[in-house]
Amino acid sequence: MNHQHLKQLADKLEGKLHYDQAMRILYATDASAYQEMPLAVAIPSTEDDIVTLIKFANEHEVSLIPRAAGTSLAGQVVGKGIVVDISQKFTQVLEINAEESWARVQPGVIRDDLNHYLSEHGLYFGPETSTASRAMIAGMVGNNSCGLHSPIYETTREHTLEVTAILSDGSKTTFKAISPEEFEKKCSGETAVSELEAQVYRSLKERLSDKAVQDEIRAQFPKKEIKRRRNTGYAIDILLDSEVFTQGGEAFNMCKLICGSEGSLAFITEIKVNCVPLPPKEVGVACPHFKTIDESLRANIIAMKHGAGASELMDDHIIERTRANIEYRKYASFIEGNPKAVLMIEFARDTREEVDAAINAMYQEMKENNMGYHFPVLYNQDSKDAWNVRKAGLGLLGNVPGDEKAQPVIEDTAVAVSDLPEYIAEFNLTLQKYGLSCVHYAHAGDGELHLRPILNLKTEPGNEMFRTIAQEIAQLVKKYRGSLSGEHGDGRLRAEFIRYMIGDKNYELIREVKRTWDPKNIFNPGKIVDAPPMNQFLRYMPGHPTPEIDTVFDFTQNLGVLRAAEQCNGSGDCRKTHLTGGTMCPSYMATRNEKDTTRARANILRYFLTNSDKPNRFDHEEIKEVMDLCLSCKGCKSECPSNVDVGKLKAEFMQHYYDANGVSLRNRLIGNFTKLTSLAALTPGLYNWAVQNSFTSGIIKKMTGFAEGRSMPLLHKVTLRKWYQQHKRGTRVALNGFAASSATPVGGEYSEMPVKQKKSKGKVYLFCDEFTNFNDTEIGVKSILLLERLGYEVEIPRHEESGRTYLSKGMLRQAKSIALKNIAALKDIVSEETPIVGIEPSAILTLRDEYVDLSSGEEKKAAQHIAGHTYLLDEFIAREIDRGNINKDVFTKEKKVIKLHGHCHQKALSSLVPTKKMLSLPENYEVHLIRSGCCGMAGSFGYEKEHFEVSMQVGELVLFPTVRQQPEEVIIAAPGTSCRHQIKDGTGRLAKHTAEILYEALV
């Protein structure tokens, strides 16, 4: 296949066809252990595009690999053909019929987003994967997904009513439940859309009507009581149970076969799904703790006997990783001590009394059988937080430094719940035979634990063991008549063992199904049937190089920068939308392009750092292209379960890229913000005139590459340091004259000294960051006066700028020089008694984050000491409220409503809880968090000409619409200077810093 053919195909598509190296690299992997370079990546816009792709595939004998979110764990969407990504354009909820309880959707609709719309109608789509915030309905159909509530909702198959699909001959048809008479008409061709459709019906009729075939299917396929049994091969056993072949069976519906077929039979374009009433609102989660895995599994049998809607297991490995994760440790407070296993057992009922009765009865039986030692129960938000820990299990497993990882090789086996204790005991004996240990977690309530042995696939023994374990466990699963792929599908990981699991005759039958539906093998070949050996085409093969690369940041904790990128296991948490909430990943939320995900950035870096033949492995335009829309918001540092810190990786990349290619003029201007601003501050009036005048500002923006539609920050008449020095001397200081920034109103005169307390409550050092010093002087002034009024002595120590501007543009060596100077200046004065407090989150939090990574040895110890006593102003005041040092007595009783937008870095490295506590100090102040992620400005990002549009798109997701809806009397709060600027440019509203709001509430 040459580029000319691909170019001709691209010209025929309304959508896009990418065959450049960067995009092919990004689609070479999914969330599995596999990697194979595709021929191209298609982003179809219409059904006609899909038909065009199918015709091209038939003509040129290439394959099409349907792909949704790419969260598959068995290599389902990895292959050498054309990957067809439906996640960008096929994302519409087409129809909701509340009366009949169904929804019709395009294949790229996200499960959680669908439920967002269904909730307005009192409806719910039940199957729930741990990836529900990004998993798409077509992917759930392809994998026959289920999840933690499968004891109630079972699998996607039970909820799929109709599927509209394009067959391998290009014909379009709809599969749905049909009567025996309608089935016969399909077989005869009377109602079939094409001869191919008639043939697939005829073939099934001929083969499944044979008594010997029926007996072989029923003897070899997994036990019927295993709800997750039907992801082993094609679901011919389900079709056999239909009324066409079995008296008293359900109506025949080809959707039963489509579910679990992994895109290998037809290309789905629409799906009609059954919906159920919203779950009961009263939910209790019992979390009994156990000393052994076996004890927990026997208790699980009791839990299911009492009607639990879910019973999920977390072992000590998961608990340990949870406690090591910034985001998730706060959700794990219900875990006491060091249990070997914890079950999370959910009961949802109409009343709290019914919930408690069920849990008490279950706990009583467990105690009578000497099972468990700690028996907490969680309700409401506490239970939701706990489920977040469980759902993050997969990603958390990737957050282990080094090459030995918990591998998804036999993590999908399912047996009867009653067989689970014995099965797991034998399973662990098998591992012990090879000196291996295993992670146990997930769906105990349905007889399926995600069992992951720890292996190093970069070695020959690790690769061989990957296959050996798969083969031995397949034999064990067969002994219990279980399912080798209970949830995550066959793909190429388990397909090799399907013949053994269902027998030779059944295997040949499902091969015949594939050939009938897809004679030229164009749809996702090598999955389910005729797969290559399962230990080929792995992301990490034996001899996989792991070069040692010198870096400016310290990546010791990750065992090097490459392994920091390798921590991304592809789980795709970064693909959630703004409807789900959170910050990660703002550019993806705006563009819905895989290239703009955290996962893509880690993948492109991993690929080139591993495979580059250049002396400077970072010197690749492809990395620069994929990193381009990273806003360095740090959302991934906390929200990614594997803590893949792409902001840090991007900054490191940029420094090395500059080493090879130089630094652009604009980046130099941004990095040297403090130096240049200090010069402009000599004549602030002239500067402000120049950047506000349409003629001169237009010239400046054009010369520097800033966006014409973006207003520029203004300088204050005096700097904060100058005001502070005069304030210390008791001089009356007039601040009016210039706006503190384009987002801050003109200041007044601060001439009265605050009332001194007889006894100071303590001394704080105020970090005078570069933004507050030059642009937001008023906020700095009000922060100082607020602290003094509350009884604290405030001192601005001698220190350098924060270095944030250099960090944001990847000029790490300059940032490191500044960091080391500030560490030296602050290490001997900052302490528990005399903390350092900051106003601008992006600046002060460098002391907690980057400074530690930019230092080593004794300097690192000093940086860690400073970090431990560094506070946002909000955090410090919240701490003092908790200590009883600050109360509401000095604040107004006036009623105010505040809408708070949090700064990205604060959300990633701290929390908005202290800010809400601080703003709620005046007793009649009502504070509501805006469910926004990043504002879209991200420092200089939103000023840059080529990023302006995306910046505003990010703002329009949640922040701008929410602000526009607020009455004028509602206060908009935003601690970040860039956030306030973005709010003003995007909505015309002036947002206030939290310090301003609290200062103005003083009486």
Side-chain angles (χ1 to χ4, degrees), residues 99-117:
E99 185 176 332
E100 298 180 11
S101 299
W102 54 259
R104 189 166 57 89
V105 302
Q106 289 187 309
V109 170
I110 293 172
R111 186 265 183 190
D112 279 359
D113 289 2
L114 172 60
N115 276 335
H116 172 81
Y117 295 114

Side-chain angles (χ1 to χ4, degrees), residues 72-74 76 127-131 139-150 154-156 226-232 260 262 312 390 411-414 441-443 446 448-450 483-490 494:
S72 45
L73 290 165
Q76 286 95 324
E128 177 184 12
T129 69
S130 62
T131 59
M140 295 182 71
V141 168
N143 265 11
N144 189 33
S145 301
C146 43
L148 61 90
H149 288 110
S150 56
E154 300 188 86
T155 72
T156 302
I226 303 171
K227 292 181 181 178
R228 294 166 177 263
R229 75 187 190 279
R230 301 206 171 91
N231 278 21
T232 300
E262 301 180 357
E312 300 284 300
R390 157 57 197 97
E411 48 85 43
D412 204 24
T413 60
Y441 80 105
H443 315 300
D446 253 351
E448 180 187 340
L449 292 187
H450 292 330
S483 172
L484 194 61
S485 49
E487 178 183 18
H488 296 154
D490 298 321
R494 285 171 274 274

